[in-house]
Amino acid sequence: MRATVMFGAGDVRIENVPDARLIEPTDALVVVTRAAVCGSDLWPYKKMETSPSGRRMGHEFIGIVEAVGSEVRKIKRGDLVVAPFAWSDGTCEFCQAGLHTSCLHGGFWGGTELDGGQGEAVRVPQADGTLVVLPTGKDHALMPGLLTLADVMSTGHHAALAAKVGPGKITAVVGDGAVGLCGLIAARRLGAEQVILLGRHPERIALGKAFGATDIVSERGEEAIQHFRELTKGLGAHSVLECVGQGEAMTTAINLARAGGAVGRVGVPQETDMPASQTAFYKNVTIAGGPAPARAYIEELMPDVLEGRIEPGRVFDYVASLDRVPDGYRAMNDRKALKMLIEF
Ligand SMILES: [Zn+2]
């Protein structure tokens, strides 16, 4: 079968790889119908050291179940399913607590051992715990929105929850990528009336406004801080969604938070140290977040997508076949595309 393999920074190729197949009795074999490229795929795209064997890519996919192992009970051949960006058993102590990304028997797609979502088929471990059956046909018009439940929409929702978004809370979003924009959707969905998006890219700002941003801060440096102060009566935001992962973004997020506020961080940290520690301390800012347990949120968010109350599928602005994945990475890395949807 064909799949996306990254061999080093800037080097993504579509390669012939061994066919995905059932190995464990709890596995399902899924033939992929839609997949996506994630902003977090761009971190290795920028920095990965050269590897002769490469690394399989992709953690957002929808597909049709081709076969199931002997111990799979709920998922059946022929089901159309969405996979969250981590697989999990659904039964351990952490899964029961809704923290599926810490599953005792779970893990993440791709790498050197497992199939990635950006390929023709995937072996899905812990199929009953991991997969969610979609109540639609495989080419339903809302497929892009349903695909965002695998990661970006669920991750944005996680950021909003971690930042304690709620009615009457001023919310700020750091990061105008797909996760930041989905975080904006989530903040509005959870009742935030004022949502301030930090960004400069005209198309992303337009989408942010369509998703419910009430204010945009596009300035840089001191001017940005001044504008933000005016918008928050000099007090800062109650809730800040950090959707980038670089130390600079985290510093900004902590600076934007008001005393007693909360930062929900979902950008994968690119540094080992937490910046602005003293600022966070003296303001009593809560810092929460981490890899979103997307599996815990898919069923809750799905009706909003199916009934059109939220439109996270609009983040996809680059739709193409598997062959074009290397171009998609390049376009996203150059910020010419927001997010790629792969059609099989
Ligand atoms: Zn578990």
Side-chain angles (χ1 to χ4, degrees):
M1 67 175 198
R2 294 159 68 245
T4 304
V5 185
M6 187 178 288
F7 292 93
D11 186 3
V12 170
R13 300 177 220 161
I14 306 305
E15 297 280 289
N16 286 311
V17 300
D19 285 347
R21 61 187 177 90
L22 299 177
I23 296 176
E24 301 293 333
T26 45
D27 289 347
L29 175 62
V30 172
V31 175
V32 176
T33 56
R34 295 285 190 287
V37 181
C38 185
S40 66
D41 295 331
L42 298 180
W43 293 123
Y45 190 77
K46 291 178 201 298
K47 302 199 284 204
M48 184 179 153
E49 282 182 34
T50 303
S51 152
S53 52
R55 169 173 162 182
R56 298 279 294 282
M57 300 299 294
H59 54 259
E60 299 159 274
F61 61 97
I62 284 172
I64 293 173
V65 177
E66 171 87 17
V68 296
S70 59
E71 289 175 21
V72 175
R73 298 282 174 266
K74 290 188 278 184
I75 299 297
K76 296 186 170 51
R77 180 181 155 87
D79 283 344
L80 180 70
V81 290
V82 59
F85 71 82
W87 45 275
S88 54
D89 60 11
T91 55
C92 78
E93 189 155 347
F94 292 119
C95 284
Q96 286 185 21
L99 196 57
H100 298 71
T101 40
S102 293
C103 177
L104 296 172
H105 309 105
F108 297 90
W109 308 109
T112 53
E113 302 291 322
L114 289 169
D115 300 315
Q118 294 160 11
E120 289 178 325
V122 177
R123 174 176 82 88
V124 174
Q126 305 291 349
D128 276 339
T130 303
L131 297 171
V132 180
V133 177
L134 296 173
T136 65
K138 74 177 177 62
D139 295 316
H140 191 281
L142 289 171
M143 218 31 70
L146 294 167
L147 181 58
T148 67
L149 300 178
D151 186 350
V152 289
M153 185 60 223
S154 295
T155 295
H157 180 65
H158 188 59
L161 291 180
K164 304 180 184 176
V165 170
K169 302 267 191 83
I170 300 174
T171 301
V173 178
V174 178
D176 62 359
V179 171
L181 292 166
C182 287
L184 209 160
I185 295 174
R188 293 289 288 182
R189 184 180 171 276
L190 292 169
E193 288 127 51
Q194 187 180 4
V195 182
I196 305 163
L197 174 65
L198 276 73
R200 274 180 288 274
H201 193 286
E203 285 162 30
R204 297 179 185 204
I205 289 172
L207 195 52
K209 285 182 177 166
F211 286 165
T214 54
D215 303 281
I216 309 291
V217 173
S218 308
E219 298 88 343
R220 289 175 189 274
E222 254 326 293
E223 281 180 33
I225 293 165
Q226 192 55 40
H227 185 186
F228 189 79
R229 282 204 188 104
E230 284 163 19
L231 290 170
T232 61
K233 301 188 176 70
L235 301 178
H238 300 88
S239 302
V240 185
L241 281 55
E242 195 283 290
C243 306
V244 181
Q246 279 162 327
E248 198 185 333
M250 192 62 194
T251 302
T252 301
I254 290 168
N255 285 329
L256 298 183
R258 68 169 56 197
V263 173
R265 57 194 309 232
V266 292
V268 181
Q270 298 303 301
E271 289 99 15
T272 51
D273 295 335
M274 176 81 82
S277 158
Q278 290 181 332
T279 309
F281 177 83
Y282 284 107
K283 289 204 293 188
N284 270 285
V285 170
T286 300
I287 296 172
R295 182 63 185 82
Y297 304 141
I298 291 176
E299 280 117 332
E300 179 190 343
L301 296 170
M302 195 190 301
D304 284 47
V305 173
L306 289 172
E307 288 155 32
R309 285 188 292 275
I310 60 174
E311 297 181 294
R314 293 176 69 181
V315 297
F316 291 108
D317 59 350
Y318 189 104
V319 181
S321 63
L322 185 62
D323 297 315
R324 300 271 306 281
V325 165
D327 299 331
Y329 271 82
R330 201 172 305 118
M332 283 175 62
N333 193 49
D334 295 343
R335 287 175 68 86
K336 287 177 182 156
L338 177 56
K339 191 167 177 67
M340 180 180 189
L341 174 69
I342 309 162
E343 290 184 332
F344 291 80

